[in-house]
Amino acid sequence: MVSNSTDLNNQNLNQDHMTNSNAVSKNDLPQLLSLDKWADSEFEWSGNILASNFERLKVMMDDSRPSAPLILQAHFYRRSNVLHLAFSIRGEIWLTCQRCLSPVEIDLTDDYDLALLDDDSQIQLLDDEQDYLLLDEIVQQSSGENLLPFKMLIEDEMLLKLPLAPKHEDCEMAVEQVGDIPEVEQENPFAALAALKGKL
């Protein structure tokens, strides 16, 4: 199991023992992954994790309904000289319906595959429609070690999957309306995440 210490130098210890963990604990999913250790070998993690252990996701959730643990399988590997972070998520979370203000269940189930590029020259190695990120824009450094924000990248993809205005398919407004209220297009608060991710 990974150390409970929050020191960056200890975040990457003993991660090779975590591939078959089923414990529901935020300490099981590594915050950071050492590129110096894993860039030329494969790293896998699978297990259950509470959605509330993702801090940005937690603040958006409706805490009146407990969400079951998410089932996560992640695979970090190199293919055709390009690093990939592929993962699948199975499960749902509860958000607040923007019409009736009651909890609404949102399905996060999906498969994801991010190419992590050394530089722009590797774009030509990718398939059409492949999502990618430049390592220079996301890698953190500590004591000369290059660290991939493993947990953050997974959370980014879940946030991008959330609807801008979650609502039930058929429900009434929680307040009475007088006249027509024009719809105002709102800026997606996670548009910056999508902007970091390239699309061919």
Side-chain angles (χ1 to χ4, degrees), residues 174-186:
V175 296
E176 294 183 359
Q177 298 182 17
V178 178
D180 295 331
I181 299 178
E183 293 187 3
V184 178
E185 184 176 350
Q186 297 179 332

Side-chain angles (χ1 to χ4, degrees), residues 8 31-32 135 138-142 145-149 152:
L8 291 179
Q31 294 273 358
L32 302 167
L135 286 171
I138 58 174
V139 166
Q140 304 173 22
Q141 290 191 337
S142 176
E145 187 175 19
N146 294 313
L147 303 173
L148 183 74
M152 185 194 77

Side-chain angles (χ1 to χ4, degrees), residues 148-184:
L148 183 74
F150 187 73
K151 183 178 179 180
M152 185 194 77
L153 292 177
I154 293 174
E155 184 178 18
D156 284 351
E157 294 303 303
M158 288 192 289
L159 291 172
L160 288 171
K161 186 173 176 63
L162 296 180
L164 177 60
K167 55 183 178 289
H168 297 102
E169 291 185 4
D170 184 15
C171 69
E172 298 179 357
M173 298 291 289
V175 296
E176 294 183 359
Q177 298 182 17
V178 178
D180 295 331
I181 299 178
E183 293 187 3
V184 178

Side-chain angles (χ1 to χ4, degrees), residues 4 14 20 24 50-51 66 79-80 83 87 96 106 111 133 169 171 182-183 188:
N4 288 331
N14 300 324
N20 293 317
V24 180
L50 292 173
R79 183 181 66 198
S80 300
L83 290 172
F87 57 95
T96 301
I106 302 298
D111 298 314
L133 293 169
E169 291 185 4
C171 69
E183 293 187 3
N188 189 329

Side-chain angles (χ1 to χ4, degrees), residues 61-123:
M61 294 170 60
D62 190 310
D63 57 11
S64 67
R65 289 281 189 92
S67 296
L70 301 173
I71 301 173
L72 172 65
Q73 293 182 317
H75 186 196
F76 178 67
Y77 63 98
R78 186 183 295 275
R79 183 181 66 198
S80 300
N81 203 37
V82 175
L83 290 172
H84 286 259
L85 174 58
F87 57 95
S88 65
I89 295 172
R90 300 292 180 266
E92 301 81 27
I93 62 171
W94 291 94
L95 302 182
T96 301
C97 175
Q98 298 304 295
R99 285 184 174 173
C100 67
L101 304 182
S102 298
V104 57
E105 191 174 50
I106 302 298
D107 189 5
L108 290 179
T109 299
D110 211 341
D111 298 314
Y112 305 85
D113 184 8
L114 288 173
L116 307 174
L117 308 184
D118 293 327
D119 53 56
D120 290 336
S121 66
Q122 289 188 310
I123 294 177

